[in-house]
């Protein structure tokens, strides 16, 4: 059902920086889609905090590294709110097992790049397509895509070669 307020989809919003972003966007008047991969309870806490402050929010479990989950995340957002005005690509993982170059596995490489690189790229693509459709239909004035990065872009860490 379409709503009058802007809608923000925040990945990795059940804790940490994503939680803070979701709460602030809700305070600013956005309806929030709280994406989580593992902890439905933590996501529900964020949703409950937003609703307690008279905001609108839903929690949607989705592994953003999965194409099917990304499609479901976008579809659930549109089904619930009828629009997406803001995408915050915040979800990220560190190296599973924290291995160095000589011990890193192809599976850990795929997990890190799937979540940290492939997911924001293809989720942005899917959401941008919807934003263009919504702008052309005059359902939203404009769209915004925000990518959150890590300090590790500037500093090396031991035992995280694939990160």
């Amino acid at each position: 059902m379409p709503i009058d307020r802007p809608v923000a989809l925040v990945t990795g919003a059940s804790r940490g920086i994503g939680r803070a972003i979701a709460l602030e966007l809700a305070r600013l008047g956005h309806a929030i889609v709280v994406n989580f991969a593992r902890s439905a309870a933590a996501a529900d806490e964020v949703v409950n905090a937003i609703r307690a402050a008279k905001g609108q929010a839903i929690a949607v479990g989705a592994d953003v590294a999965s194409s099917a989950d990304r499609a479901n995340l976008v579809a659930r957002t549109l089904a619930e709110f009828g629009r997406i005005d803001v995408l915050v690509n915040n979800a990220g993982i560190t190296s599973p097992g924290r291995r160095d170059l000589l011990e890193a596995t192809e599976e850990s490489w795929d997990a890190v790049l799937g979540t940290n690189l492939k997911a924001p790229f293809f989720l942005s693509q899917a959401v941008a397509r919807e934003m263009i459709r919504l702008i052309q239909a005059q359902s939203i004035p404009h769209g915004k895509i925000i990518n959150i990065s890590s300090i590790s872009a500037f500093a090396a860490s031991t035992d995280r070669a694939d990160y």
Side-chain angles (χ1 to χ4, degrees), residues 8-89:
L9 165 53
V10 183
T11 67
S14 64
R15 62 187 186 91
I17 294 169
R19 175 188 171 100
I21 292 168
L23 293 172
E24 181 62 12
L25 286 171
R27 188 188 71 74
L28 294 171
H30 292 72
I32 306 296
V33 177
V34 176
N35 164 248
F36 68 95
R38 292 190 246 357
S39 180
D44 288 341
E45 286 178 18
V46 179
V47 168
N48 291 336
I50 292 168
R51 289 179 179 168
K54 307 295 184 223
Q56 290 179 277
I58 61 168
V60 179
D63 175 358
V64 293
S66 160
S67 177
D69 281 11
R70 287 190 306 273
N72 182 59
L73 182 57
V74 173
R76 286 277 317 275
T77 301
L78 293 170
E80 182 71 24
F81 295 120
R83 61 193 287 174
I84 304 174
D85 299 78
V86 179
L87 168 63
V88 180
N89 285 308

Side-chain angles (χ1 to χ4, degrees), residues 48-144:
N48 291 336
I50 292 168
R51 289 179 179 168
K54 307 295 184 223
Q56 290 179 277
I58 61 168
V60 179
D63 175 358
V64 293
S66 160
S67 177
D69 281 11
R70 287 190 306 273
N72 182 59
L73 182 57
V74 173
R76 286 277 317 275
T77 301
L78 293 170
E80 182 71 24
F81 295 120
R83 61 193 287 174
I84 304 174
D85 299 78
V86 179
L87 168 63
V88 180
N89 285 308
N90 170 73
I93 63 169
T94 189
S95 175
R98 296 181 73 103
R99 297 179 177 105
D100 72 13
L101 175 65
L102 301 176
E103 297 170 340
T105 66
E106 191 167 340
E107 292 76 22
S108 68
W109 173 268
D110 290 342
V112 170
L113 268 65
T115 300
N116 298 356
L117 187 60
K118 183 172 99 174
F121 181 88
F122 286 106
L123 187 55
S124 293
Q125 181 185 66
V127 169
R129 287 178 176 149
E130 291 301 326
M131 287 175 170
I132 291 167
R133 181 184 64 77
L134 292 164
I135 291 165
Q136 289 173 340
Q138 298 181 341
S139 299
I140 64 173
H142 56 270
K144 296 178 181 171

Side-chain angles (χ1 to χ4, degrees), residues 146-162:
I146 301 163
N147 296 305
I148 305 300
S149 186
S150 165
I151 190 69
S152 292
F154 300 101
S157 302
T158 59
D159 296 330
R160 295 193 299 171
D162 44 10

